[in-house]
Amino acid sequence: MTPVTGLYVPGDRPDRFDKAVATGADLVILDLEDAVAPAGKAAARDAVVAWLSSARVDCVLQVRVNEGVAEDLAALRGLTGFEVRLPKVESPAQVDRVVAALPGVAVTALVESASGVEHAAAIAAHPAVTMVGLGESDLASELGTRDDAVLDHARIRLLYAAKAAGLPAPMLSAYPAIRDLTGLRADTKRGKALGWFGRVAIHPAQLPVIAEVFQPSAADREWAAQVLAATRDGGVTTLANGEMVDPAMVGRAETILSRSRLPE
């Protein structure tokens, strides 16, 4: 199942690795990039490799490497049970370098620049890429604005790129204001309305809010169940409330029920 909640944990804090997994996040990201100061990069790399060598977990594990740092990829060679989260992707060639170093490892490509947004379709189409994501803070810094319209444009471009490549909808970027759960909820709902699914967090306190927003409502689940029942024989029909439904709605209904964590 596509992850709904993700949690970043600094690679130089191995004392937090097991705690991050214990939060119940669907995805745990061991971060060698922005969360680690330059002086701590080597120690963080060693800590992540040591933990991955013996980790046995149920969630998805990713390592966010430093783009262009060959030592990160070399250190991960021979390990299993993880994916690579590649930052600052602007072309498929950057993904090629990961594939050359770590054959068979799935890559989540993070687009964090205007150039990356413009090349999103080619990046998403790379055979090693299983998800794409947006680095909103870096992108906003480059563009000089965090206006909703500007970020929404990038979100929509990535959604189209992902879907055209047969990938799941991207997960939203981390919301930087840890204590502002009201703002997190509002921004997550906005991203959901744009078709994105799931969100990564930088603190465990953010996870319940994210999970709640993406949990289909009882009304959504009821509608989906009715659509599937009504369209079982194909053709156009109507629901009890008079809404016309046809086979084109089946995909949406199936998605709603597949994303539900409650009994249908």
Side-chain angles (χ1 to χ4, degrees), residues 84-238:
V84 166
R85 196 170 186 87
L86 184 64
K88 299 177 174 60
V89 181
E90 296 185 340
S91 77
Q94 292 165 268
V95 183
D96 287 338
R97 290 195 286 271
V98 175
V99 173
L102 300 169
V105 172
V107 176
T108 291
L110 299 181
V111 171
E112 307 186 53
S113 66
S115 177
V117 172
E118 290 301 302
H119 294 97
I123 293 166
H126 193 291
V129 172
T130 56
M131 290 186 70
V132 293
L134 187 65
E136 293 185 0
S137 293
D138 284 277
L139 180 63
S141 294
E142 178 183 315
L143 299 178
T145 176
R146 287 196 65 93
D147 187 83
D148 285 340
V150 174
L151 292 181
D152 285 352
H153 173 78
R155 286 175 172 178
I156 293 168
R157 288 285 298 273
L158 257 70
L159 175 66
Y160 272 85
K163 288 301 184 178
L167 302 181
M171 297 179 75
L172 292 161
S173 304
Y175 189 76
I178 295 174
R179 294 180 177 85
D180 182 13
L181 298 183
T182 299
L184 169 65
R185 184 183 302 278
D187 190 68
T188 304
K189 286 183 176 180
R190 182 183 187 84
K192 179 185 178 182
L194 291 175
W196 285 48
F197 182 70
R199 185 162 211 160
V200 295
I202 52 177
H203 192 279
Q206 297 175 316
L207 297 175
V209 174
I210 296 168
E212 181 184 339
V213 169
F214 287 104
Q215 171 64 47
S217 67
D220 288 337
R221 296 195 304 276
E222 176 65 19
W223 176 87
Q226 289 180 13
V227 168
L228 293 184
T231 57
R232 188 171 293 119
D233 297 325
V236 178
T237 185
T238 57

Side-chain angles (χ1 to χ4, degrees), residues 20-40:
V21 172
T23 63
D26 303 315
L27 166 67
V28 170
I29 305 161
L30 308 177
D31 192 8
L32 299 177
E33 198 214 15
D34 286 348
V36 181

Side-chain angles (χ1 to χ4, degrees), residues 9-19 43-44 47-48 51:
V9 55
D12 58 352
R13 292 299 306 269
D15 57 305
R16 296 183 181 178
F17 295 173
D18 288 329
K19 294 177 182 178
V48 167
W51 189 78

